[in-house]
Amino acid sequence: MFSFVARQPIFDTTLNVFAYEILFRDGKSNGFPDIDPDEATSKIISSTHLGIGLDEITGGKTAFINFHRDTLIHLFPTSLDPSMVMIEILETVEVDETLIAACRHLREIGFELALDDFDADEKWRPLLPYVQVIKFDIRSMKEERILSLLPEIRQHEIKLLAEKVETYAEFERFRELGFHYFQGYFLARPELVRHKQIIPAQMNMLALISACNQSPLDFDRINNIINKDASLTFLLLRFINNPFYNKRIKVKDLRHALNYLGENEVKKFVSLIALANLNNDSPRELLQLSLVRAKFCSLLVTGMNELNDSPASFLAGLLSLLDAMMLLPMSELLEKVPVSEEVKHALQGNPGMLSDCLLLAKHIESARWSTIKAFSKKYGISQTTLHGMYNSSLKWAGAMENSIN
């Protein structure tokens, strides 16, 4: 069975990714399975844990997985590694002695439990001794109500997670209140509360990205820029040594390395290291997500056009979060990075295939399955293939991030 999966990051107080919530759908309809939710969870476990592997999806971080009543009572989570999974108990489950006993047993054998969309109903009180995380939907519960519940929760040393955090100000507020984890879209939306000055080193990185957009590529120009920076030279050698490229080549000099990679791969490398340097003050998840989008868009365009890997599609995906990294409007950044009209139109959201590819990546990130189905129909590419490309992009992005950091 093929896994249809999206992952949504969960951040800690320093904006590092602590875990991912894993969202699955039926491979046939690419929607919520029209079956009992407990049966759906069993399919999730078999297709994901025994198929692609949770570690491939989460990069080794904790996976928050929803479990319903029967799957908990019948101890379905025991087929998973307790060190990799947070059992998320949905707010709709019926709580009785049988469920409490199951949760107690799961905790005793090493699993951690979270309560989703906590509403402070009296039914949850017997479970609190076995729970490690409580999730509050800050859009549906008022802050005053949340504050009134915190003293009792803290008696059990339970960690707090704020869901649907949509602005950086909300993140700061709930961090001040003592929340440990945060989930929402605030990272992908730049907070333009101040004008961020672009320092000379960053201008050099933007110049490198701009150089990548030239066709044919000026190898001498790239060589001269990288030759002046030992760290860039080291990164290039690491990039070549990555398992995706390693063919036991003996690099004689920097120009030899550039020639070996070829124009398309040099463009990718330069864009990657430039973006990684621009991302220094931003959460690492932004870089990781940019890498996933870059590879995914490249695979999509290649698959749909039956062409060689497209540098334009890769660059569009890679730069799609540049505004969030730099805290500047995309329109202003595009004036400083003279990318092709094709890339510019995609980053501005103008209609077109490349713009559709970027939107598709965002829809998969947000588990908007109906729009994925519409893309599949429009471009004549199966949903199974789309999700296979996305899973491949997750794996590739993890390897690339290790190469450039």
Side-chain angles (χ1 to χ4, degrees):
M1 179 186 293
F2 191 85
S3 297
F4 286 72
V5 59
R7 64 177 195 178
Q8 295 184 353
I10 296 171
F11 301 92
D12 63 16
T13 55
T14 59
L15 286 178
N16 290 315
V17 177
F18 159 68
Y20 289 98
E21 180 169 0
I22 307 301
L23 303 172
F24 299 86
R25 298 298 183 269
D26 188 313
K28 295 178 181 179
S29 65
N30 197 27
F32 279 108
D34 188 20
I35 55 177
D36 181 89
D38 293 309
E39 181 183 348
T41 300
S42 68
K43 290 180 181 293
I44 288 170
I45 294 173
S46 62
S47 64
T48 306
H49 178 56
L50 303 179
I52 186 175
L54 280 176
D55 56 334
E56 290 287 351
I57 297 173
T58 66
K61 299 187 184 299
T62 301
F64 276 59
I65 299 179
N66 295 334
F67 285 88
H68 296 260
R69 176 184 167 81
D70 285 351
T71 50
L72 290 169
I73 290 173
H74 295 294
L75 303 178
F76 277 37
T78 57
S79 63
L80 303 171
D81 182 348
S83 67
M84 294 180 59
V85 174
M86 176 75 69
I87 296 172
E88 194 166 338
I89 304 172
L90 296 180
E91 70 278 9
T92 54
V93 302
E94 178 188 351
V95 179
D96 58 16
E97 288 300 325
T98 304
L99 181 71
I100 295 169
C103 291
R104 182 190 306 117
H105 176 71
L106 288 167
R107 183 69 193 115
E108 288 172 350
I109 61 177
F111 284 94
E112 294 193 335
L113 283 70
L115 295 180
D116 187 34
D117 288 345
F118 187 66
D119 58 5
D121 191 287
E122 193 67 25
K123 72 177 184 179
W124 300 117
R125 191 179 297 273
L127 284 177
L128 294 183
Y130 313 113
V131 168
Q132 283 64 57
V133 174
I134 283 181
K135 300 176 74 171
F136 284 97
D137 182 342
I138 67 169
R139 309 249 80 80
S140 63
M141 183 177 285
K142 293 183 178 180
E143 182 179 315
E144 295 79 7
R145 176 60 172 153
I146 294 174
L147 286 172
S148 71
L149 299 172
L150 296 187
E152 179 181 1
I153 291 173
R154 285 173 174 149
Q155 291 178 11
H156 297 279
E157 299 183 353
I158 294 172
K159 294 187 175 180
L160 307 170
L161 189 157
E163 288 186 279
K164 299 184 180 177
V165 180
E166 294 187 356
T167 68
Y168 192 84
E170 289 176 343
F171 162 73
E172 288 280 15
R173 173 57 179 158
F174 281 89
R175 181 168 63 175
E176 290 173 359
L177 294 178
F179 275 66
H180 307 83
Y181 306 119
F182 310 86
Q183 189 173 5
Y185 298 116
F186 63 106
L187 276 178
R189 297 178 180 177
E191 295 287 306
L192 302 178
V193 295
R194 63 186 186 279
H195 185 85
K196 183 174 182 178
Q197 182 180 7
I198 301 180
I199 60 178
Q202 291 174 322
M203 288 300 296
N204 290 336
M205 291 299 132
L206 291 173
L208 274 176
I209 294 176
S210 177
C212 288
N213 197 53
Q214 303 304 311
S215 184
L217 188 69
D218 187 340
F219 277 78
D220 288 331
R221 181 184 175 192
I222 299 296
N223 183 76
N224 291 337
I225 295 173
I226 296 177
N227 243 337
K228 297 174 183 177
D229 192 321
S231 63
L232 293 182
T233 302
F234 174 71
L235 285 171
L236 174 61
L237 297 177
R238 282 192 62 189
F239 185 78
I240 292 176
N241 195 47
N242 187 282
F244 282 89
Y245 300 100
N246 184 13
K247 297 179 181 177
R248 299 180 181 177
I249 182 177
K250 298 292 184 181
V251 176
K252 293 180 292 186
D253 55 39
L254 181 58
R255 184 56 188 266
H256 177 214
L258 294 173
N259 288 337
Y260 168 75
L261 283 173
E263 183 168 323
N264 280 0
E265 295 306 319
V266 168
K267 287 182 176 182
K268 289 182 183 180
F269 163 71
V270 174
S271 300
L272 287 173
I273 59 173
L275 194 70
N277 279 274
L278 290 173
N279 191 62
N280 275 342
D281 296 328
S282 303
R284 289 187 62 184
E285 175 65 13
L286 287 179
L287 176 60
Q288 173 73 200
L289 192 54
S290 297
L291 296 175
V292 173
R293 288 183 183 181
K295 185 63 173 177
F296 183 60
C297 289
S298 179
L299 289 174
L300 267 178
V301 171
T302 301
M304 289 188 292
N305 288 346
E306 298 181 355
L307 298 173
N308 292 329
D309 196 0
S310 167
S313 58
F314 184 90
L315 191 60
L318 194 67
L319 299 182
S320 62
L321 288 165
L322 188 60
D323 52 352
M325 293 180 185
M326 301 295 294
L327 297 177
L328 288 170
M330 184 64 77
S331 58
E332 183 176 334
L333 289 167
L334 290 177
E335 292 176 1
K336 303 175 186 297
V337 187
V339 295
S340 68
E341 288 301 310
E342 181 184 12
V343 173
K344 183 181 294 185
H345 285 318
L347 294 175
Q348 292 174 331
N350 296 332
M353 183 182 69
L354 192 49
S355 182
D356 284 351
C357 290
L358 272 177
L359 281 174
L360 178 64
K362 296 174 184 177
H363 291 323
I364 292 179
E365 293 159 14
S366 305
R368 296 171 184 166
W369 308 106
S370 60
T371 55
I372 299 170
K373 186 175 181 180
F375 182 99
S376 171
K377 184 176 181 180
K378 179 178 180 179
Y379 287 102
I381 182 168
S382 74
Q383 295 171 70
T384 298
T385 300
L386 293 176
H387 285 276
M389 289 177 176
Y390 195 79
N391 289 344
S392 296
S393 300
L394 289 174
K395 186 175 182 180
W396 180 89
M400 288 302 105
E401 188 178 15
N402 289 335
S403 296
I404 61 179
N405 283 307

